[in-house]
Amino acid sequence: MKQKIKSAVFFVVVALLFSTTVTAQQNKDLTLYQGGEAYEVKSFTQTFKSDSPKNVVLFIGDGMGVAHFYAGLTANRGDLFIQNCKYIGFSKTYSSNRYVTDSAAGATAISTGTKTYNGAIGVGPDKNPIKTILEEASEKGLATGLVSTSSITHATPASFIAHQASRSQEEDIAADFLKTDIDVFIGGGYDFFTKREDGRNLVNELMRKGYTIERELSKIENYKGKKLAGLTAPKGNPRMSERGNMLPISTHTAIKILQQNEKGFFLMVEGSFIDSGGHGNNTVQVVEEMLDFDQAVGKALEFAAENGETLVIITADHETGGMTINDGSFETGMVKGAYTSTGHTGVMVPIFAYGPGASEFIGIMENTDIHAKIKKLLLKK
Ligand code: MG
Ligand code: ZN
């Protein structure tokens, strides 16, 4: 009898443990986005002042494949700002040494027009520096800017301004910002400017060069000058739910600063953590980051529609997660993602364009062609 009670108790305990484990797993099903609030998307004019742009805003959604884009579109009930783009193509993302690129080689291909090895920041396969589109624009007297949700010294933004053999050299990358005339940069990475092995305090050096340093989003939002370094986090910014609308606000501020230059401007804006969602097979994060990115694009499109001389390009450096979508709902915004990888994949990524020169960005192209096209349109004079 005692034995029977013992085994019955054992059975109940095991059953309880089993059921709580199953519940915990269900609660943690990050591949399912259950739907949330949607925002209103505006339609913008398709008529522009000229055929060639005076300004270019390039958006890079890190890790954004077609599925990530469509997850965002579904979550926002079938509409995204990016859908204002009528010219659409695909970009081939392979690097010089790998079929599957990383963000450093991917961004360097776009910024310099040269395919290079994974990990390279603004240098070619021989590790020699190559001038970036941002540096070329600056030399021609245009205003320039970088905005990112990650550290501003992280691979994607770094590849537009720095020249280092490895993406891990974030202190060296921070020092490269001082070698340029960039007008505005906003992202995380304060520590790489201040807590350095070489003892330099780059924030003080930036101030001596005329930059205002701001660490709070409200101050960045209300900034009225011409030279701003916004460093909103010690390293990367936190996820969407904690950082708020840092990316749309920073994009808006950057455009406000850059448009003061009569010769025009080049701005790169990165939505960094779409990639993290892909790595984590986390559809909730993919959607949150995708919607944040799209709202930043909305800020640029609003300016471009009004201004009539601004080309807005939206693309990615590579796809992350081998993501697809197995179910969804335009009524509730639900998205059921599925993944084939926790890394990057080799598939083509979409490219969308709006404004004067947008028709250049149709068809299938190399990621390096993006550099050539921007250069031809923006810097031909
Ligand atoms: Mg990145
Ligand atoms: Zn990644």
Side-chain angles (χ1 to χ4, degrees), residues 289-361:
E289 295 294 338
M290 196 57 229
L291 297 184
D292 179 54
F293 181 63
D294 182 64
Q295 290 176 85
V297 172
K299 297 287 182 197
L301 291 176
E302 191 158 21
F303 170 77
E306 164 94 29
N307 166 271
E309 295 180 290
T310 303
L311 168 64
V312 180
I313 305 157
I314 302 110
T315 191
D317 46 359
H318 53 74
E319 197 274 351
T320 306
M323 185 186 181
T324 189
I325 301 174
N326 287 346
D327 199 8
S329 163
F330 293 116
E331 278 73 50
T332 65
M334 179 272 282
V335 179
K336 180 79 178 87
Y339 301 83
T340 62
S341 167
T342 54
H344 301 169
T345 71
V347 295
M348 296 189 293
V349 292
I351 176 158
F352 309 88
Y354 172 93
S359 61
E360 287 280 337
F361 295 88

Side-chain angles (χ1 to χ4, degrees), residues 62 103 275 279 318 320 344:
D62 199 313
S103 294
D275 178 66
H279 282 293
H318 53 74
T320 306
H344 301 169

Side-chain angles (χ1 to χ4, degrees), residues 94-323:
Y94 65 92
S95 69
S96 74
N97 69 334
R98 292 276 188 277
Y99 185 80
V100 177
T101 190
D102 81 323
S103 294
T108 298
I110 297 171
S111 72
T112 69
T114 302
K115 296 245 188 202
T116 187
Y117 60 93
N118 286 9
I121 299 290
V123 300
D126 56 5
K127 299 193 177 166
N128 285 322
I130 307 169
K131 211 167 269 179
T132 71
I133 188 77
L134 185 147
E135 290 169 314
E136 288 176 308
S138 180
E139 276 179 13
K140 290 233 172 187
L142 278 73
T144 57
L146 290 173
V147 172
S148 174
T149 35
S150 66
S151 165
I152 203 69
T153 54
H154 205 259
T156 311
S159 296
F160 282 81
I161 198 161
H163 305 281
Q164 298 295 339
S166 167
R167 59 185 289 169
S168 63
Q169 296 163 259
E170 290 194 70
E171 291 183 15
D172 297 324
I173 290 166
D176 280 353
F177 277 76
L178 274 296
K179 296 177 186 161
T180 74
D181 285 323
I182 188 167
D183 298 276
V184 50
F185 56 96
I186 307 170
Y190 189 82
D191 284 0
F192 297 111
F193 289 81
T194 52
K195 293 178 183 163
R196 302 169 53 82
E197 267 184 41
D198 62 9
R200 283 171 72 184
N201 184 324
L202 300 185
V203 160
N204 291 343
E205 292 185 33
L206 283 166
M207 287 196 287
R208 283 200 289 276
K209 277 192 87 176
Y211 289 88
T212 299
I213 317 291
E214 295 294 2
R215 303 183 69 180
E216 283 169 38
L217 197 56
S218 59
K219 299 239 175 83
I220 288 168
E221 188 169 17
N222 295 312
Y223 180 74
K224 295 255 155 37
K226 285 188 167 180
K227 214 88 176 158
L228 174 67
L231 294 166
T232 52
K235 294 206 160 82
N237 284 284
R239 61 179 298 169
M240 186 50 215
S241 50
E242 288 162 58
R243 73 173 185 266
N245 45 3
M246 174 261 164
L247 194 66
I249 286 175
S250 303
T251 302
H252 186 241
T253 296
I255 291 173
K256 233 171 34 188
I257 294 168
L258 297 173
Q259 65 164 315
Q260 299 174 77
N261 187 315
E262 281 174 9
K263 286 187 178 167
F265 67 79
F266 173 81
L267 169 66
M268 194 288 293
V269 179
E270 183 199 21
S272 317
F273 303 134
I274 301 167
D275 178 66
S276 314
H279 282 293
N281 291 184
N282 183 337
T283 308
V284 178
Q285 189 177 17
V286 166
V287 166
E288 283 176 359
E289 295 294 338
M290 196 57 229
L291 297 184
D292 179 54
F293 181 63
D294 182 64
Q295 290 176 85
V297 172
K299 297 287 182 197
L301 291 176
E302 191 158 21
F303 170 77
E306 164 94 29
N307 166 271
E309 295 180 290
T310 303
L311 168 64
V312 180
I313 305 157
I314 302 110
T315 191
D317 46 359
H318 53 74
E319 197 274 351
T320 306
M323 185 186 181

